Amino acid sequence: MNAAAISLDQFEAARLGDIEAIAGLLETAQPDIRRYARATCRSSADAEDAAQEALWILFRHVGTIRSLLAMSAWLFSVVRRECLRLARKAGLAPSIDDTEAEAALLSRPEADLRLDVAAAFEALPPHYRDVALMRDVEEMTIDEIAEALGATRQTVKARLHRARALLREYLTR
């Protein structure tokens, strides 16, 4: 999410319960949440449902978010979990091993999980790390990444696939 579009004053006001600040925060966050949901969920209907749920959860829990920087990662994890829940509901759930690995990850304390994710990204070779950060953190498109790196779409897709596999392996071992 583009945290630069949200001022620290607006974020703090929203945390303290200012309804106008919360509405502004929701309005600013909505496009990024929807874009991430469309990229993560299996269908456009699920993406809309996941985005709405994420916005509702943000509205209810904005006061518990400790920092503006933490809000982005938190929101994306909310969307990802909602997409997974909707996939399970539709009978498209991941295998038991994936579910167990995800449960193990989510059972870790948040501070430990953040450190583990940061360490996982640092452990990636630079050419994989760059692609994963551009796609999953900065939310660039495959074409934008290819242009920025001077690579082909196929190269970017292959690196992204490999980066995600390495991240998953690092986090679940």
Side-chain angles (χ1 to χ4, degrees), residues 88 93-105 168 172-173:
R88 284 185 185 129
S95 69
I96 298 300
D97 292 341
D98 288 345
T99 303
E100 288 173 3
E102 180 183 341
L105 279 174
R168 190 176 313 113
T172 57
R173 59 181 158 123

Side-chain angles (χ1 to χ4, degrees), residues 64-171:
T64 65
I65 302 170
R66 289 183 299 237
S67 73
L68 182 57
L69 295 175
M71 184 179 80
S72 179
W74 177 75
L75 270 174
F76 291 139
S77 68
V78 167
V79 171
R80 189 180 66 252
R81 282 192 307 266
E82 185 62 16
C83 287
L84 182 58
R85 186 190 69 76
L86 292 167
R88 284 185 185 129
K89 185 177 175 182
L92 304 170
S95 69
I96 298 300
D97 292 341
D98 288 345
T99 303
E100 288 173 3
E102 180 183 341
L105 279 174
L106 294 176
S107 69
R108 295 181 189 174
E110 185 177 337
D112 291 347
L113 185 57
R114 287 174 194 255
L115 291 173
D116 290 344
V117 169
F121 269 97
E122 286 297 319
L124 288 174
H127 60 285
Y128 291 142
R129 181 175 49 243
D130 293 344
V131 170
L133 287 172
M134 288 177 174
R135 180 69 178 131
D136 295 333
V137 176
E138 297 176 17
E139 296 185 54
M140 294 172 68
T141 65
I142 298 296
D143 291 332
E144 290 170 336
I145 297 169
E147 184 178 323
L149 297 177
T152 65
R153 283 179 52 86
Q154 292 77 17
T155 300
V156 170
K157 288 172 134 180
R159 287 181 185 174
L160 181 60
H161 177 75
R162 183 66 181 141
R164 287 176 174 167
L166 289 170
L167 287 169
R168 190 176 313 113
E169 180 182 323
Y170 184 95
L171 290 169

